[in-house]
Amino acid sequence: MNEEGRSMSTPASGAGAVCAPQVRALGLPGDRERLKNLCPRLSVQSRHMRFHGALNELSEGFLDQLMDVDHDYREALVALEDDEVVGVARYVVTSEASLCAEVTVLVADAWQRQGIATQLLTRLREAARQRGTLFFKASVLPDNDRAQRLISALAPEHHVSHNADGLEFWWKS
C-alpha cells in the first residue's frame, strides 16, 4: 500500500510498481478522448477478441454509442491510471422487462491479468443488481479463452450456447 492507501500492482509490461487503477463511472469531461486513445494501445488480438473483427480506431458513431450512458439501462465503468483508460466495462439492458443486460469488458494489454476485468465486472454487477437486473449475457469468440475463464470464475453457474458469432454466456448478475 502507498501513503494514500491505494494498493500497488505491476502492469504486465514490467514497467514497475504503480498504483492500482482508479475505477469510476464513465461520463466525465475528457472520457470520450480517453476511450478513443485506448484503441491504438491494444494489440490486434485484443481488438479482435473484444470487437469480433479488425478495428484500428473507434469511429465517432461508435464513440457516441459507448458514451451513451444513463447509469440505469446503460452503464459503463472505466479503470484509469495516470488519466488514461486502462480498462472499460459496460452493460446495456436488453430485455423489455429490464431483467437482462449484455455486458462487455476490455482491458489494455499491459494491464491484463492484473484483476482489472474482475474488478470492473464485479462493480458493474453491483450496479446492475441495484437497478434490478437479474441476468448478464456476453458474446464471446470461441478462441477467447481469457474471457471464458473470467466468466467461469465470476459466475461458476453460467450457461453457454453456440450462436452465429461464437458463444453466448448467460449468468445471474
Side-chain angles (χ1 to χ4, degrees):
M1 297 283 247
N2 67 7
E3 58 270 358
E4 296 171 345
R6 294 175 74 187
S7 63
M8 302 296 281
S9 67
T10 304
S13 65
V18 295
C19 291
Q22 168 199 11
V23 174
R24 65 162 172 79
L26 179 73
L28 294 181
D31 279 352
R32 182 184 186 89
E33 194 64 27
R34 288 181 193 97
L35 278 179
K36 188 173 186 173
N37 292 337
L38 174 61
C39 196
R41 297 189 337 259
L42 300 171
S43 67
V44 171
Q45 180 182 14
S46 289
R47 286 179 282 182
H48 174 75
M49 292 297 180
R50 166 53 188 92
F51 301 110
H52 298 206
L55 182 72
N56 292 323
E57 65 180 40
L58 302 177
S59 69
E60 291 302 314
F62 194 46
L63 281 166
D64 289 343
Q65 182 183 356
L66 293 173
M67 293 299 300
D68 183 20
V69 294
D70 62 7
H71 306 293
D72 187 21
Y73 290 90
R74 295 174 309 281
E75 178 65 279
L77 301 174
V78 290
L80 295 145
E81 181 61 35
D82 293 330
D83 205 39
E84 282 189 333
V85 171
V86 297
V88 59
R90 174 182 172 84
Y91 75 68
V92 176
V93 173
T94 58
S95 72
E96 290 181 23
S98 302
L99 299 178
C100 185
E102 185 158 358
V103 64
T104 60
V105 64
L106 175 65
V107 175
D109 291 67
W111 288 90
Q112 291 179 8
R113 305 181 69 85
Q114 302 293 315
I116 294 169
T118 299
Q119 183 181 8
L120 286 166
L121 287 176
T122 299
R123 296 263 309 266
L124 205 61
R125 174 188 271 179
E126 292 167 5
R129 284 180 179 166
Q130 287 179 356
R131 72 156 316 281
T133 299
L134 300 178
F135 299 97
F136 274 165
K137 69 177 181 175
S139 294
V140 177
L141 292 175
D143 58 341
N144 191 341
D145 296 329
R146 286 185 179 177
Q148 293 177 47
R149 284 193 306 267
L150 176 64
I151 292 168
S152 293
L154 290 174
E157 297 185 20
H158 65 272
H159 303 279
V160 63
S161 61
H162 295 271
N163 64 24
D165 296 327
L167 304 173
E168 185 163 271
F169 287 81
W170 292 77
W171 67 96
K172 192 169 185 176
S173 66

